[in-house]
Amino acid sequence: FMKAAKWVNRLKLRASYGYTGSQGFSSYDALPTFVYYSNLSYNGYIGSYIKGLANEYLRWQEKYDTNIGVDFNLFNNRLSGRFDHYIATTKGMVTNVTVPYTTGFTTYVDNLGETENKGFEAYLNYKVFDAGRNYVNVFGSVAHNKNTLKKISNSLRAWNEAKDKDMISNKSTAPSVKYYEGCSMSAIWAVPSLGIDPQNGKEIFVKKDGTVTYDYDIADQVVCGDTQPKFNGNFGINGEINGWGWNVTMNYRWGGQIYNQTLVDKVENAQLQYNVDRRVLTDRWQRPGDMALYKAITDQSITYPTSRFVQDYNTFTLSSLTFYYDFRNCRWVKDSFLERLKVSAYTNDLFVISSVKTERGTSYPYARSFSLSAQVTF
């Protein structure tokens, strides 16, 4: 034990259990919320209107957290890290529920069930070189989380049915978010597919009873994937040598799936009278015997969520890159009126390696930036 104590600097075990009666709604959510007209009046009186639907059964959201972890420093602080395993249970989850527009509102607040998040987080940092202001560190982290719906309310069951009806009536091509007990909240719901029939270019669907058909039935939807990755995290290197410094950080995700909406919108549901993806002409079925990825080019029917477009999603990204030079050791800085001068260059998302080809920046903001800065202290 005494020999081990020479290289174990600090080992700290942690265990905690917590309860939070979180304030998931305001006192105004349980009763109709009235807003007064402040800029209009009639005969000297002002009016009011209802801002939100009432829900007399709404209650506090409750969260229970269990965490077991360890922090450690080894080898004279050269190796440090932490590990946490957690289980977080949320009861009476407060969520906005969509309601028909005929009510005069789009949503109301309700308790929708019980969820459980279970997983772990780990982080390591190793000092490869340490000599005062000159140092080199390598670091890395990994996280895993699994969420499961333990219980759902009647409102959530009605939500699932409403989403199925909306998909057909609105001709939606993207999978709907659905909530079922025992399933993940990030599950991808779609009808299983055997691909395109080489003889006629039609898609072959698999029903819940195992039979096959050419007819799409939303009642045959099952969980075909999960957008939650199995593991995700980052790793990199940072340091400084004789005033030259750097920080390189790379992100990764492994496991999990994505619904490739790009292929649905730009290839199979593409409007042929406009500019289209070249795969419309090269990868769609055209004649008997074609082993095609996409249905017949003459088939202009809407492609509803199908397992054909559920793909394994793994990514590797150079998320940030920073270089700088600190002039603190330069003679001309010491002899001048400057106390310190530091010049830095930063850029992000230099490259992304992905197992799935999708469009970026068309449905959410995306930008690759570069900046150059100078820090001057007098």
Side-chain angles (χ1 to χ4, degrees):
F1 177 81
M2 294 302 294
K3 182 180 294 186
K6 293 181 180 180
W7 55 268
V8 177
N9 304 101
R10 182 167 63 89
L11 181 64
K12 181 180 180 182
L13 298 176
R14 293 176 285 101
S16 64
Y17 175 81
Y19 161 76
T20 303
S22 55
Q23 188 172 355
F25 60 93
S26 69
S27 58
Y28 296 102
D29 290 322
L31 298 174
T33 304
F34 291 91
V35 178
Y36 290 95
Y37 291 99
S38 59
N39 58 343
L40 297 173
S41 64
Y42 177 76
N43 199 24
Y45 297 97
I46 62 174
S48 63
Y49 62 94
I50 299 178
K51 185 179 180 181
L53 286 177
N55 183 0
E56 60 180 312
Y57 302 106
L58 191 64
R59 58 185 177 82
W60 296 109
Q61 176 176 289
E62 300 175 340
K63 187 175 181 181
Y64 301 83
D65 290 316
T66 302
N67 183 288
I68 299 175
V70 57
D71 298 330
F72 59 87
N73 280 324
L74 307 175
F75 311 116
N76 293 323
N77 295 325
R78 293 183 70 91
L79 177 65
S80 61
R82 67 176 182 271
F83 176 85
D84 287 282
H85 180 270
Y86 61 86
I87 300 176
T89 302
T90 302
K91 296 184 178 180
M93 180 177 59
V94 176
T95 309
N96 286 324
V97 180
T98 303
V99 294
Y101 291 109
T102 53
T103 63
F105 303 92
T106 57
T107 62
Y108 79 102
V109 182
D110 198 4
N111 300 104
L112 295 186
E114 178 180 331
T115 63
E116 179 186 79
N117 280 276
K118 181 187 298 183
F120 67 84
E121 297 176 350
Y123 174 81
L124 281 177
N125 184 85
Y126 181 69
K127 295 181 180 180
V128 179
F129 175 71
D130 186 13
R133 288 196 170 185
N134 293 331
Y135 67 93
V136 177
N137 288 332
V138 292
F139 60 89
S141 68
V142 60
H144 167 75
N145 181 75
K146 182 180 180 181
N147 68 76
T148 306
L149 267 172
K150 294 296 186 180
K151 297 178 182 178
I152 62 174
S153 65
N154 291 331
S155 298
L156 213 51
R157 292 186 176 89
W159 159 281
N160 294 329
E161 296 177 1
K163 295 302 290 185
D164 287 344
K165 294 179 181 178
D166 290 343
M167 177 178 290
I168 300 300
S169 61
N170 297 331
K171 298 180 179 180
S172 175
T173 62
S176 298
V177 178
K178 294 185 178 183
Y179 304 101
Y180 287 93
E181 293 178 354
C183 296
S184 168
M185 292 189 294
S186 53
I188 301 175
W189 291 84
V191 174
S193 171
L194 295 179
I196 304 302
D197 191 332
Q199 299 305 313
N200 53 29
K202 295 182 179 181
E203 185 170 9
I204 305 173
F205 300 106
V206 180
K207 301 183 69 65
K208 285 186 176 180
D209 61 5
T211 60
V212 296
T213 178
Y214 291 127
D215 299 322
Y216 186 93
D217 188 349
I218 199 170
D220 293 326
Q221 285 191 346
V222 296
V223 176
C224 294
D226 197 321
T227 59
Q228 181 78 31
K230 290 184 178 180
F231 302 100
N232 66 284
N234 60 60
F235 62 92
I237 182 172
N238 58 47
E240 181 179 322
I241 301 293
N242 296 329
W244 291 96
W246 66 91
N247 184 12
V248 182
T249 302
M250 289 158 281
N251 293 340
Y252 68 90
R253 61 162 285 159
W254 180 80
Q257 290 76 37
I258 187 176
Y259 193 78
N260 197 336
Q261 196 66 36
T262 298
L263 296 179
V264 179
D265 296 337
K266 304 301 182 180
V267 178
E268 198 152 283
N269 284 341
Q271 298 182 17
L272 301 182
Q273 66 270 32
Y274 301 109
N275 291 333
V276 297
D277 189 294
R278 69 181 63 183
R279 286 170 290 189
V280 170
L281 302 176
T282 60
D283 292 350
R284 295 188 67 166
W285 187 93
Q286 297 184 33
R287 61 184 63 87
D290 284 350
M291 303 298 293
L293 298 175
Y294 312 108
K295 62 187 181 183
I297 194 171
T298 56
D299 187 349
Q300 295 299 298
S301 62
I302 296 175
T303 299
Y304 291 108
T306 162
S307 63
R308 274 192 304 134
F309 299 99
V310 178
Q311 299 177 328
D312 292 335
Y313 191 40
N314 307 308
T315 62
F316 174 73
T317 307
L318 178 53
S319 57
S320 67
L321 178 63
T322 302
F323 284 102
Y324 67 85
Y325 183 70
D326 194 331
F327 292 85
R328 64 177 181 271
N329 296 322
C330 295
R331 174 64 61 181
W332 63 271
V333 172
K334 295 179 179 179
D335 295 340
S336 69
F337 60 91
L338 298 177
E339 182 178 334
R340 187 181 184 187
L341 175 61
K342 181 179 178 182
V343 178
S344 304
Y346 166 83
T347 186
N348 70 300
D349 283 332
L350 280 182
F351 67 80
V352 177
I353 300 175
S354 173
S355 60
V356 177
K357 292 183 178 180
T358 59
E359 291 182 325
R360 303 182 70 197
T362 56
S363 59
Y364 58 91
Y366 165 74
R368 178 180 291 126
S369 61
F370 175 80
S371 63
L372 183 65
S373 62
Q375 180 183 349
V376 182
T377 305
F378 298 98

